Amino acid sequence: MQENTSTLLLVDDNPKNLNVLSDMLDNKGYEILFALDGIAALERAAMVKPNLILLDVMMPEIDGFETCQRLKSDESTRDIPVIFMTALTDTENKVKGFAAGAVDYITKPIEPEEVLSRVRTHLTIQNLQAELRDKNALLADRAVHLEAEVAERTEQLKGALNMIKSASLDTIFRLSMAAEYKDEDTGEHTKRIGHYSAAIARKLGLKEKAEEAILYAAPMHDVGKIGIPDRILLKPGKLTPSEWEVMKQHAEIGGKILEGSEANYIQMARTAAITHHEKWDGSGYPKGLTGDNIPLVGRIVAVVDVFDALMSNRPYKKAFSLEQSLSIIKEGKGKHFDPNIVEVFHEILDEILEIREKFKDQPHEPAEANDEGLEKMR
C-alpha cells in the first residue's frame, strides 16, 4: 500500500454488488477492502481504520443502521465517514440513516459518476480535517509561524462544512417532499415553510444556531403523513370522525420517525412534527397543549403552515387571496395561534411574500375551494 493511498472499505452481503462497486473504483488510486456483513465490517474497520466506508443497509445479522451506530460509538472508528448504499428511498429510512451518523447516501442502482464524485468529496473533506488537526498539534511550538496557515486551512474547512450544510439542507427538503408529494402538496411548500419559520425566528431575536436549526427542522413537520393510508390522506371529500382520528395520528407518527437522534435539528424537527397542530386555546392535537406550553417551533410552524396552505392551489381547493388568508390568520389569533407569532408574522409580511415569490409553485388546476378543503389544512 502506498503511503498516500486512501483506503475504502466496501460492505455488502452480495458479492456481485461488491464486484460492480470495485470495478467503478478500480484504477482510481484507492486501496479497496471488502466485508460481507456488519460484523466483519466492524472488525476490519477497527483493525485497518479505512478513510471511508461505503455501507449497504439491508444485511443479515446486523443491518447497516446498527453497523453505523456501532462504528460511531467506538472511539477508534467514530471519525470514519460512512456513506450508505441503499435501495430504500422512503423518508423514514433516510432520516434514520443520517441519525445513525452517516454523512451521505447513494441510492441503488448506483451510478459510477455519482459514486466517484461523492467518494472524492468526502475524502477531500476528511483530508482537510486531518491537516487541520495536524497543524493545531504544532501550534504550541510554532504558533507565530503557523497562525496564517492555520487560518487559511480553517477557512478551507469552513467552506467544506458549508458545502455539507447546503447539501444536508437540500437533502432534508427532498426527504420532506416525499411526504408532501403523497399529500399532493408541492416540493416548494417545504422550502417555504423552512424559510418562513427561520424569518420569524430571526425577527424574534433567536440566536443564529437556533434560527438555522428551525430552517432545517420546519420542513419535516408533516413527515408523519407517510404513515397515513392513501384512502384517508387523499380522500377528496369530508373525512368521517373515525377517518379524522386516523389523520390526526400523523403528528405522533412523525415524532416516532424522528425520535432518537442526537442532531439538534432532528430533535427540533420531531418537536415540530408533534406540536404543529396544537392550538393556543388548547383545542388542538395530539395533547391539547395551551399557550406557552406549546414549544416555540410548533407555534411558529402552526402559523406559516396554515398561511401557506391557504395561499396555495391544491387539488381540493383554489388558492385564497392574500386578504382572505390574512383575515383567517387574524381570526385565529389567540385561539389557534400564538398572538405574538401572529404579530411578528405581520411585521415581516413583506419578507414572507418575497420568500413565497422566490419558491413559487408550478401551476396546476385545483378543484373548487370549500370548507372541507379548509378543514384538511387544519
Side-chain angles (χ1 to χ4, degrees):
M1 186 186 306
Q2 297 177 4
E3 185 179 5
N4 294 324
T5 298
S6 294
T7 302
L8 309 183
L9 176 58
L10 314 183
V11 187
D12 198 307
D13 62 321
N14 188 328
K16 291 183 179 179
N17 290 342
L18 291 177
N19 288 334
V20 170
L21 192 58
S22 178
D23 288 342
M24 291 179 184
L25 297 166
D26 195 26
N27 298 322
K28 303 300 180 184
Y30 303 129
E31 181 77 13
I32 307 296
L33 303 177
F34 304 96
L36 289 170
D37 56 54
I39 297 297
L42 292 170
E43 292 174 351
R44 298 217 74 177
M47 182 181 300
V48 180
K49 307 296 190 301
N51 301 96
L52 181 66
I53 299 175
L54 279 71
L55 178 63
D56 185 34
V57 171
M58 303 300 292
M59 296 187 297
E61 295 190 59
I62 62 171
D63 62 15
F65 298 131
E66 185 175 350
T67 301
C68 187
Q69 288 172 340
R70 291 194 189 183
L71 287 167
K72 297 304 174 182
S73 65
D74 187 330
E75 186 174 351
S76 68
T77 58
R78 66 174 49 171
D79 293 328
I80 302 172
V82 176
I83 299 177
F84 275 129
M85 302 179 296
T86 177
L88 301 174
T89 58
D90 60 282
T91 301
E92 180 177 357
N93 280 289
K94 290 181 179 178
V95 170
K96 187 176 179 180
F98 284 116
V103 297
D104 210 341
Y105 70 91
I106 299 172
T107 303
K108 294 182 178 179
I110 57 180
E111 295 292 335
E113 288 303 318
E114 181 183 10
V115 171
L116 293 172
S117 176
R118 290 177 188 253
V119 166
R120 283 194 298 264
T121 295
H122 288 289
L123 287 176
T124 297
I125 291 171
Q126 189 196 43
N127 288 337
L128 285 171
Q129 291 173 326
E131 287 181 25
L132 184 58
R133 285 194 297 268
D134 291 340
K135 296 299 183 183
N136 284 338
L138 297 174
L139 280 177
D141 296 325
R142 297 192 294 158
V144 175
H145 301 288
L146 290 178
E147 183 176 353
E149 185 176 355
V150 169
E152 180 182 352
R153 293 298 186 183
T154 301
E155 287 304 311
Q156 290 178 349
L157 181 57
K158 285 181 179 179
L161 293 176
N162 286 335
M163 288 172 58
I164 292 177
K165 277 187 179 180
S166 178
S168 297
L169 182 56
D170 182 64
T171 298
I172 287 167
F173 282 141
R174 292 177 186 277
L175 297 181
S176 302
M177 282 164 57
E180 301 295 350
Y181 274 131
K182 186 177 180 185
D183 193 25
E184 300 191 61
D185 275 342
T186 69
E188 299 304 306
H189 168 74
T190 62
K191 295 181 182 178
R192 291 195 297 266
I193 294 302
H195 287 281
Y196 291 157
S197 299
I200 289 177
R202 187 164 53 251
K203 182 65 175 178
L204 288 170
L206 271 63
K207 294 182 178 179
E208 185 177 348
K209 286 187 176 180
E211 177 193 334
E212 182 180 71
I214 288 177
L215 174 68
Y216 278 63
M220 291 186 272
H221 67 286
D222 267 342
V223 71
K225 286 184 177 178
I226 283 179
I228 302 301
D230 288 353
R231 62 181 175 81
I232 295 176
L233 187 64
L234 305 180
K235 183 177 180 180
K238 185 178 180 66
L239 299 179
T240 66
S242 62
E243 288 172 335
W244 180 240
E245 289 305 311
V246 174
M247 174 67 84
K248 291 196 294 185
Q249 291 175 11
H250 80 273
E252 293 181 297
I253 292 172
K256 290 178 181 178
I257 289 173
L258 296 167
E259 70 182 354
S261 173
E262 294 183 1
N264 66 335
Y265 64 88
I266 298 292
Q267 294 172 359
M268 185 174 288
R270 180 176 184 270
T271 300
I274 294 174
T275 64
H276 72 285
H277 283 296
E278 299 288 359
K279 296 183 180 181
W280 187 256
D281 63 5
S283 64
Y285 63 88
K287 295 184 178 180
L289 301 178
T290 60
D292 290 334
N293 293 317
I294 305 169
L296 180 60
V297 66
R299 285 180 271 145
I300 292 174
V301 173
V303 174
V304 299
D305 189 35
V306 170
F307 171 76
D308 197 71
L310 291 168
M311 289 285 291
S312 301
N313 286 325
R314 293 292 180 264
Y316 50 81
K317 74 168 193 69
K318 288 183 178 179
F320 286 69
S321 69
L322 177 60
E323 291 74 16
Q324 290 173 310
S325 301
L326 294 177
S327 176
I328 291 172
I329 296 296
K330 184 177 181 181
E331 289 175 10
K333 180 180 178 180
K335 292 179 289 185
H336 188 161
F337 307 121
D338 178 343
N340 185 45
I341 301 299
V342 173
E343 289 295 328
V344 171
F345 173 84
H346 282 90
E347 289 175 11
I348 64 167
L349 183 59
D350 288 344
E351 184 177 357
I352 295 291
L353 296 179
E354 288 175 5
I355 292 169
R356 180 165 183 79
E357 178 65 20
K358 181 177 180 180
F359 301 105
K360 291 192 296 187
D361 292 331
Q362 296 299 316
H364 63 281
E365 290 297 328
E368 291 294 329
N370 53 57
D371 291 338
E372 294 174 2
L374 184 58
E375 178 188 1
K376 285 193 73 174
M377 295 185 290
R378 295 177 176 172

